[in-house]
Amino acid sequence: MKTLPITLAQWFAPWLALWIGMAGCCLAAPPAPAPGETTAAAPLDDAELERSGAVIGAIEIDTGNVFDPSVSGENRPAYRVA
């Protein structure tokens, strides 16, 4: 079986898509609250939190696959690293 050399565009496209996806995630506006729903108060500054003795209660990390490796187009090294 003969393999064809990968072009710069084929190599660069997944990385560009990943970068754009990450930038879009960071720049997206938060959803507007539903009618009648109250929003959280503004966060306190660091000095005030230290004075009050604030403690972080819990940190939860939910890991999951973003890409589906069973799909041939999503089973590439760039997608597996993400």
Side-chain angles (χ1 to χ4, degrees):
M1 177 179 247
K2 186 176 182 182
T3 59
L4 299 175
I6 189 168
T7 65
L8 182 60
Q10 289 172 326
W11 181 87
F12 189 66
W15 292 104
L16 180 61
L18 179 66
W19 184 82
I20 290 172
M22 290 172 60
C25 185
C26 295
L27 299 175
E37 184 179 314
T38 59
T39 57
L44 304 173
D45 64 340
D46 291 341
E48 189 171 341
L49 288 171
E50 286 184 29
R51 278 195 306 272
S52 69
V55 179
I56 297 174
I59 298 174
E60 296 180 19
I61 301 173
D62 182 20
T63 60
N65 289 333
V66 177
F67 301 104
D68 185 2
S70 65
V71 176
S72 63
E74 295 182 4
N75 192 13
R76 295 189 177 174
Y79 299 126
R80 288 193 297 266
V81 170

